[in-house]
Amino acid sequence: MTAPAATPVAETGARTGRPHPDETAASDAEPEEDRADAADDAEPKPAAEDAKPDSAPEDEGPKSAPKAADSTSAPKDGDSKAEPKEAVPEDAAPKNGASKDEAPRDAAPKDAEPEDAQAKPGAEAQARFKDVPTTTLKVRTDLPRSAPPKDLPTTPLKAGAFSGAPKDAEPKSTPKDAEPKSVAKVAEPKAPPKEAGEPDAKGGPLVRPLVSDLYAGQNGEGGAVAFGKPGTPTRAVPPVPPMPPGKAPLPPAEAGESAKDGDGQAVGPQGTRTMPAPPMPDRDPLKLLAELTNTPPPPQTLLRTIGRRFKIWTPLAVLLVLVFVLVQALRPLPSPSLASTTSATYRFAGTPLTQSMPWPSQGQSAVEVEGLGSLGVRGAQTPVPIASVTKVMTAFVILRDHPISGKQNGPVITVDKQAADESGSTEESTAHVQEGQKFTERQMLELLLIPSGNNIARLLARWDAGTQEAFVAKMQHAAAEFGMTHTTYTGASGFESTTQSTAVDQLKLARQVMQNDVFRAVVAQPHVDIPGVGTIYNNNNDLVNLGVVGIKTGSSTPAGGALMWAAHKTVDGKQQLILGVVLQQRGGVTVNDSLNVALQRSQALINSVQGGMTSATILKKGEVVGEVDDGLGGRTPVVAAADLKAIGWPGMTAGLTLTPQGDGLPHNAKAGTQVGTIGFGTGTARTTVPVVLQTDLHAPSFGKKLTRVA
């Protein structure tokens, strides 16, 4: 069958304002059968067969003319984008038996496209799209004003390209580029639009069907209305079937996967368009930046990598350097120290004196120069009875518990009956005193040490501790403090043979007790005058010799002859104290003979030492003896401010010690500033000279502060 030529739309009353004669004739000649057919055709078919839920895009007008409300079938694609370009076929006639040559009343020029309109929903339906723009078309009938609306003709006319199409045929979408670029506007009435139901100027009813390319409601009621001949509504597009209750529309992303419009774009539910999901950003910030700016990342080269790392790490490194510099600059400086650079010892030239000294051939002996050192020890140092040498410890405890100094005499002590009775003994040395006599502490010490009175030793023990036993405990405790490990005291006088010691232990005691000026003054006297007693002579005959100080003699049958002695030697204007002890010296027949042997041998030792002592210049003025260390590597030399002369004997070796100032060393000082002393020997025999800076002393520089580690 060949398609008839397109028939132009006839002028109708809606367009010209006058009733068209053909319209009147068509309405009068319409048989009842056609009306019945039209009513049957006007029934909408199920939405699952005739309509799809897709909606046309909002930015385009309807691409095909809508069908009349009484069409027998609606196209499945209700939002076809354009009308078919071919004319309606000549043999395509409406089902109601209309004449073949009668032009479809809803045919419109190809260039003219009706504006979108929205059909009003029914009373029981709600509009799905309330904001869809609509175009109002006035359709006017030529019936008399008195004719009721139910007598209006309802001849169904199929629209445009769908008049001759099969019922189940689905129109094909016109390609996008085939759409007309310009669409002629439909002639609009001159009179302004009126509301539905209001009469026009001639008194006739005014019908305003709404046309829309989108479906109206969710419940399937209503929908777009297509028009045939102007003024005559045709069958409406079947409504969209209602959605199942409780089923929400698909999200845009899912809807876009299943529905696409003619341009290949994703279309979501109810005609919405979905935007494509953005691509997942790359984790590399440079690639993401390149994607956003459409600039490819620069190539990764070794130089670029080094430069980037330099930019990242340089500020951090600078900050760390600044913190390090600040901390190093504010840290307190270490205290300077004084270190010796000279030899730690000095040895006197010549044959050692210890080899030429006349040592006793029996017993045991020990000699030393106070502060300079020992001259040697002879004999086995085993504990032996020491007789009256014990009284040296008795005097020490009394002076310790009841100290006096200078010319003080101390407290007064009364002689008890026991002391008076013991004074008449012929078996031991005593001091002749009477009961009730009163003597000062100094006088009691003279009676104890010069005539060696045993009765006075026991009297002082009772006066000090209450009993002799308690006093002996004090004596033993003092011996332990001095390191006299081979000494045992059992009495205060030494008369008991159980009181024993060694020459080395007794030399330790002599060193301690000779530091007391009252004790030295007492033992240095060859004789003493005591009121009520008379003149008493010292048993130490060596005291008559020049330079002998004495200390204490001792003699007994078990002990033989014993002597603790002291002597002086002045060298270079400085007096040196010589100390010695000889024990177990025997000779002659009597105990007194043994004591004389001890005295003679002791004097021989004294003479040898006094003759052998000499002096020597150990350091000369200006000689570098040490340096000041600032703690950071800086060293400033120090020199002796005068000649250092030491006293000693041939073969003697002693240490040189460099001592810093008591108040510490400065960080900055001028050359010649005294920073300490250097000396030879110890104790009272020590000889010292000051040491001074050879050059200026400066605090550590800023560079040294920064580079210090500790």
Side-chain angles (χ1 to χ4, degrees):
M1 179 186 302
T2 60
T7 306
V9 178
E11 291 288 331
T12 63
R15 297 179 181 268
T16 61
R18 299 186 303 273
H20 197 279
D22 293 338
E23 296 176 3
T24 305
S27 62
D28 294 340
E30 184 175 1
E32 293 295 327
E33 291 81 6
D34 293 341
R35 295 180 182 177
D37 294 339
D40 294 337
D41 296 337
E43 295 179 7
K45 292 188 177 182
E49 295 178 4
D50 299 335
K52 291 185 179 180
D54 297 342
S55 301
E58 295 178 2
D59 57 46
E60 297 180 4
K63 298 300 189 291
S64 62
K67 261 192 173 184
D70 57 346
S71 299
T72 57
S73 63
K76 293 182 179 180
D77 189 4
D79 55 351
S80 179
K81 294 184 179 180
E83 294 179 357
K85 293 184 179 181
E86 292 85 7
V88 179
E90 293 179 358
D91 54 350
K95 289 182 179 181
N96 57 3
S99 175
K100 178 181 181 180
D101 56 350
E102 184 177 357
R105 296 184 181 182
D106 57 351
K110 187 182 294 186
D111 297 336
E113 183 175 347
E115 298 181 4
D116 295 344
Q118 174 69 40
K120 293 184 179 180
E124 70 281 357
Q126 296 180 356
R128 176 178 297 182
F129 300 99
K130 295 182 180 181
D131 56 351
V132 178
T134 60
T135 303
T136 304
L137 298 180
K138 288 197 300 181
V139 180
R140 178 176 173 276
T141 63
D142 57 348
L143 294 177
R145 296 182 181 177
S146 59
K150 64 182 181 178
D151 294 334
L152 291 177
T154 57
T155 303
L157 295 177
K158 293 185 177 180
F162 299 101
S163 59
K167 182 183 292 187
D168 55 353
E170 219 174 291
K172 296 182 179 181
S173 300
T174 305
K176 188 173 183 180
D177 55 0
E179 293 180 14
K181 296 184 178 179
S182 62
V183 180
K185 293 184 179 181
V186 179
E188 296 181 359
K190 296 182 179 180
K194 297 182 180 181
E195 296 294 331
E198 292 183 3
D200 60 356
K202 296 181 180 182
L206 180 61
V207 180
R208 295 181 181 176
L210 301 178
V211 180
S212 173
D213 57 349
L214 299 175
Y215 298 132
Q218 289 183 339
N219 54 4
E221 296 181 7
V225 179
F227 290 88
K229 187 175 180 181
T232 304
T234 60
R235 186 172 299 171
V237 178
V240 179
M243 296 181 63
K247 184 175 182 181
L250 294 175
E254 296 180 4
E257 295 176 359
S258 59
K260 294 185 179 180
D261 60 7
D263 295 337
Q265 298 181 353
V267 179
Q270 303 177 2
T272 58
R273 296 190 182 212
T274 59
M275 295 296 294
M280 293 298 293
D282 200 303
R283 293 183 181 272
D284 189 351
L286 292 178
K287 292 184 179 180
L288 179 59
L289 180 62
E291 183 177 338
L292 295 177
T293 59
N294 292 329
T295 302
Q300 296 295 332
T301 62
L302 178 60
L303 182 61
R304 193 179 297 276
T305 301
I306 294 175
R308 183 171 65 253
R309 292 180 179 176
F310 180 80
K311 292 179 181 179
I312 294 174
W313 291 104
T314 297
L316 180 59
V318 171
L319 179 61
L320 292 177
V321 169
L322 292 178
V323 172
F324 176 78
V325 170
L326 184 62
V327 170
Q328 291 290 81
L330 296 180
R331 282 176 62 187
L333 293 173
S335 299
S337 60
L338 185 62
S340 175
T341 58
T342 188
S343 177
T345 59
Y346 179 80
R347 185 179 184 278
F348 283 81
T351 302
L353 178 62
T354 57
Q355 297 178 7
S356 60
M357 287 174 61
W359 294 101
S361 59
Q362 60 179 336
Q364 48 184 287
S365 306
V367 180
E368 71 174 22
V369 178
E370 184 186 22
L372 296 180
S374 174
L375 284 166
V377 176
R378 290 292 184 272
Q381 300 298 308
T382 57
V384 294
I386 58 175
S388 292
V389 177
T390 304
K391 295 181 178 67
V392 176
M393 178 61 80
T394 303
F396 174 80
V397 173
I398 293 297
L399 287 172
R400 185 192 66 182
D401 294 347
H402 310 277
I404 57 176
S405 62
K407 295 182 179 181
Q408 294 177 348
N409 295 319
V412 176
I413 303 172
T414 303
V415 177
D416 60 6
K417 183 178 184 303
Q418 182 179 349
D421 294 342
E422 291 176 353
S423 64
S425 174
T426 59
E427 297 180 356
E428 55 181 336
S429 60
T430 61
H432 297 282
V433 293
Q434 297 177 1
E435 183 182 357
Q437 285 184 315
K438 297 182 183 297
F439 300 99
T440 63
E441 180 182 346
R442 181 184 288 268
Q443 290 174 337
M444 283 290 184
L445 290 175
E446 291 173 345
L447 292 173
L448 173 68
L449 297 173
I450 294 176
S452 190
N454 290 347
N455 59 336
I456 301 299
R458 289 187 282 268
L459 173 63
L460 289 174
R462 292 190 297 270
W463 172 73
D464 177 77
T467 63
Q468 182 178 211
E469 291 75 12
F471 187 80
V472 169
K474 288 184 177 182
M475 296 172 64
Q476 194 65 41
H477 184 267
E481 289 181 349
F482 298 154
M484 302 167 61
T485 57
H486 297 90
T487 301
T488 302
Y489 292 102
T490 58
S493 64
F495 180 74
E496 303 85 359
S497 60
T498 54
T499 298
Q500 299 180 355
S501 184
T502 63
V504 173
D505 278 3
Q506 291 302 306
L507 193 60
K508 293 177 181 178
L509 176 61
R511 191 184 308 137
Q512 296 293 328
V513 75
M514 286 297 289
Q515 295 178 8
N516 189 289
D517 57 343
V518 174
F519 182 85
R520 289 197 308 267
V522 171
V523 298
Q525 300 177 88
H527 62 276
V528 61
D529 293 330
I530 299 176
V533 177
T535 302
I536 301 175
Y537 291 92
N538 198 322
N539 289 340
N540 187 354
N541 295 330
D542 291 336
L543 294 178
V544 298
N545 299 323
L546 184 63
V548 177
V549 180
I551 296 183
K552 186 68 187 77
T553 60
S555 60
S556 66
T557 302
L563 180 65
M564 178 187 291
W565 52 266
H568 289 296
K569 174 66 177 181
T570 302
V571 181
D572 290 341
K574 187 174 182 178
Q575 191 179 69
Q576 303 294 324
L577 179 63
I578 308 169
L579 299 173
V581 176
V582 293
L583 300 176
Q584 292 288 312
Q585 302 299 311
R586 300 180 185 277
V589 178
T590 64
V591 173
N592 191 46
D593 294 339
S594 297
L595 177 60
N596 289 330
V597 171
L599 292 175
Q600 294 174 1
R601 293 176 177 172
S602 295
Q603 185 64 50
L605 291 174
I606 292 172
N607 295 338
S608 175
V609 174
Q610 288 177 337
M613 295 190 67
T614 183
S615 66
T617 301
I618 300 175
L619 297 173
K620 294 182 178 180
K621 180 180 179 180
E623 184 177 348
V624 176
V625 295
E627 59 186 12
V628 175
D629 187 353
D630 61 7
L632 297 181
R635 290 175 173 81
T636 304
V638 295
V639 297
D643 292 343
L644 176 61
K645 292 183 178 181
I647 300 173
W649 53 87
M652 171 187 169
T653 301
L656 286 169
T657 55
L658 185 62
T659 306
Q661 293 287 89
D663 54 353
L665 300 176
H667 290 288
N668 295 279
K670 296 292 184 180
T673 303
Q674 182 177 350
V675 294
T677 58
I678 188 168
F680 180 82
T682 59
T684 58
R686 179 175 173 82
T687 304
T688 62
V689 295
V691 293
V692 297
L693 293 172
Q694 188 180 39
T695 59
D696 293 344
L697 176 63
H698 298 287
S701 63
F702 185 74
K704 290 183 178 180
K705 292 180 181 179
L706 295 182
T707 56
R708 60 176 166 171
V709 177

